[in-house]
Amino acid sequence: GIGGKFSSKSNENVVLYIALPFGSCPGIGIVGNGGIIRGAHGFTGEALFFPLQVDSAMEVQNEPTFDGAVNQIADLVQALIALIDPGVIVISGRGVTTEIFEMVKIRCHGKFAGRIMPEFEHRSDYREDCLKGILGKGVESLRSPLCLCRNYK
């Protein structure tokens, strides 16, 4: 039955990686239970389809506004905390300054009780993390056993 598809495992090892590339669409990566969670149709993490404004206030005449960035990122993070209850949230992007990151944390801490709050981590540039993830997956695939023979019956 459908009950067998669900697990009661804790989400403390679930990591949400929110990439906010300046001038591009935001994306969310979800890692849990030892792998990337892609969803049934590979559509997981498409933040533009959330019913939130996650891109328009980030730029006003190509200049990011501090309050707009804080509000949008905090709204997105709060929705994700309520939906997924992750153990860690990583926020990355060249436009996400330390000041914006700290204000987002403060807004989230004001919304949720201490025991619900995930750990927060700030990365200045998602590209390095992406490259490390791709390289890590490549090395992992090289370590997996290869079958060079046919299985005849």
Side-chain angles (χ1 to χ4, degrees), residues 51-66:
L52 304 167
Q53 294 292 320
V54 292
D55 63 343
S56 61
M58 287 287 285
E59 294 182 40
V60 176
Q61 298 175 356
N62 295 326
E63 292 292 324
T65 64
F66 182 83

Side-chain angles (χ1 to χ4, degrees), residues 72-117:
Q72 286 188 6
I73 297 168
D75 287 348
L76 177 63
V77 170
Q78 289 170 2
L80 291 168
I81 291 170
L83 181 66
I84 299 172
D85 187 22
V88 179
I89 293 182
V90 180
I91 302 174
S92 177
R94 288 182 293 172
V96 182
T97 64
T98 302
E99 293 80 15
I100 289 173
F101 175 76
E102 291 300 326
M103 288 304 296
V104 167
K105 274 180 34 178
I106 289 169
R107 284 247 343 250
C108 291
H109 278 283
K111 184 86 170 178
F112 297 101
R115 67 179 190 82
I116 295 173
M117 283 302 298

Side-chain angles (χ1 to χ4, degrees), residues 6-16 30-34 37 80-89 115-119:
F6 297 101
S7 169
S8 62
K9 290 183 180 178
S10 170
N11 274 0
E12 63 189 46
N13 65 345
V14 172
V15 176
L16 292 180
I30 305 171
V31 178
N33 297 325
I37 298 171
L80 291 168
I81 291 170
L83 181 66
I84 299 172
D85 187 22
V88 179
I89 293 182
R115 67 179 190 82
I116 295 173
M117 283 302 298
E119 292 179 38

Side-chain angles (χ1 to χ4, degrees), residues 15 17-20 89-97 101 120-129 132:
V15 176
Y17 193 103
I18 303 170
L20 300 162
I89 293 182
V90 180
I91 302 174
S92 177
R94 288 182 293 172
V96 182
T97 64
F101 175 76
F120 277 76
E121 200 170 313
H122 180 237
R123 302 265 212 237
S124 59
D125 192 352
Y126 69 94
R127 293 176 294 185
E128 182 180 337
D129 292 328
K132 284 180 183 175

